[in-house]
Amino acid sequence: EAGVAQSPRYKIIEKRQSVAFWCNPISGHATLYWYQQILGQGPKLLIQFQNNGVVDDSQLPKDRFSAERLKGVDSTLKIQPAKLEDSAVYLCASSFTVEAFFGQGTRLTVV
Amino acid sequence: GDSVTQMEGPVTLSEEAFLTINCTYTATGYPSLFWYVQYPGEGLQLLLKATKADDKGSNKGFEATYRKETTSFHLEKGSVQVSDSAVYFCALSEGGNEKLTFGTGTRLTIIP
């Protein structure tokens, strides 16, 4: 069974630029999550989708972050404009029941 | 809101030593509890889980018991190996397909 796929693995951008991350969840998993993991901290939920509807985006900085999940499968997370404090690993995860499966993440560095 | 507090690291042990990483939680309901592991250069992987009080999760020689009375889920292993070197995260969720709330992680290094 293929795991959660994310791209790119690494991205370096200047502040005020925009960036987008892509996630392909495990086939059949209706729930998809985006987490932000800042160095030295545990992952923090940014947004949760159930199929193509948003379940929880209370921690998403909506003035600069946006996410969509077209057709209830793939998802993209966008940051525009980026700030230095957005430097982190962005993790995508999907689940069918209790267990969430994580991708390898995208490491974003904002300079 | 929900929160997870875990033992701060880093933790360094000799091979074959006994391991305990403490984890306590605060939750409004009856959460499921998890330990995730992140090996160098890899993504987060589920190590073990317990979904109700007194359940014991186990995998790869690691164990953790869901203790409702002490709101704890401590991770233990009787004899660690160099290959266990990783970052370990304790986490909870309030139900199926609910978000995970993570602790800050504990970096474990095992020396030969």
Side-chain angles (χ1 to χ4, degrees):
Chain A
E1 174 180 271
V4 176
Q6 289 189 248
S7 68
R9 287 294 310 278
Y10 305 93
K11 190 74 177 179
I12 301 174
I13 62 172
E14 295 182 351
K15 60 183 178 184
R16 291 188 291 274
Q17 284 188 324
S18 63
V19 65
F21 313 127
W22 174 82
C23 173
N24 181 236
I26 293 173
S27 177
H29 284 195
T31 308
L32 184 147
Y33 315 80
W34 284 101
Y35 288 85
Q36 180 192 57
Q37 185 178 11
I38 293 173
L39 187 64
Q41 299 182 20
K44 182 188 76 172
L45 182 75
L46 291 174
I47 189 167
Q48 177 183 348
F49 292 94
Q50 181 75 16
N51 295 309
N52 60 349
V54 175
V55 174
D56 183 350
D57 64 356
S58 58
Q59 299 298 307
L60 187 74
K62 298 180 186 65
D63 58 334
R64 298 184 300 106
F65 285 64
S66 64
E68 61 181 7
R69 190 181 184 194
L70 300 176
K71 300 180 182 179
V73 182
D74 292 8
S75 177
T76 55
L77 176 70
K78 297 179 182 177
I79 308 175
Q80 182 179 16
K83 293 184 175 181
L84 295 177
E85 58 260 37
D86 298 331
S87 294
V89 176
Y90 290 85
L91 298 167
C92 180
S94 67
S95 68
F96 180 68
T97 55
V98 174
E99 181 179 350
F101 295 82
F102 285 80
Q104 289 193 294
T106 296
R107 182 178 297 278
L108 174 67
T109 302
V110 183
V111 298
Chain B
D2 296 348
S3 66
V4 175
T5 302
Q6 68 179 100
M7 178 175 168
E8 289 190 17
V11 174
T12 302
L13 295 172
S14 297
E15 205 165 20
E16 299 183 2
F18 184 86
L19 169 71
T20 299
I21 301 178
N22 290 336
C23 172
T24 57
Y25 67 90
T26 302
T28 52
Y30 300 95
S32 295
L33 302 174
F34 306 83
W35 277 99
Y36 277 82
V37 60
Q38 191 168 37
Y39 297 105
E42 298 185 18
L44 277 168
Q45 303 173 25
L46 179 65
L47 179 60
L48 53 85
K49 67 178 187 285
T51 56
K52 61 183 188 295
D54 299 325
D55 269 2
K56 177 185 285 189
S58 61
N59 186 26
K60 299 182 180 180
F62 291 89
E63 293 183 339
T65 300
Y66 189 140
R67 301 285 189 199
K68 185 169 175 286
E69 62 276 13
T70 55
T71 61
S72 65
F73 192 56
H74 304 321
L75 183 68
E76 296 182 336
K77 186 173 185 181
S79 176
V80 292
Q81 305 300 313
V82 172
S83 56
D84 294 326
S85 297
V87 181
Y88 292 81
F89 292 91
C90 185
L92 68 80
S93 74
E94 289 279 13
N97 292 326
E98 291 297 322
K99 70 176 183 182
L100 287 160
T101 299
F102 286 88
T104 53
T106 302
R107 181 175 298 278
L108 173 67
T109 302
I110 307 301
I111 53 176

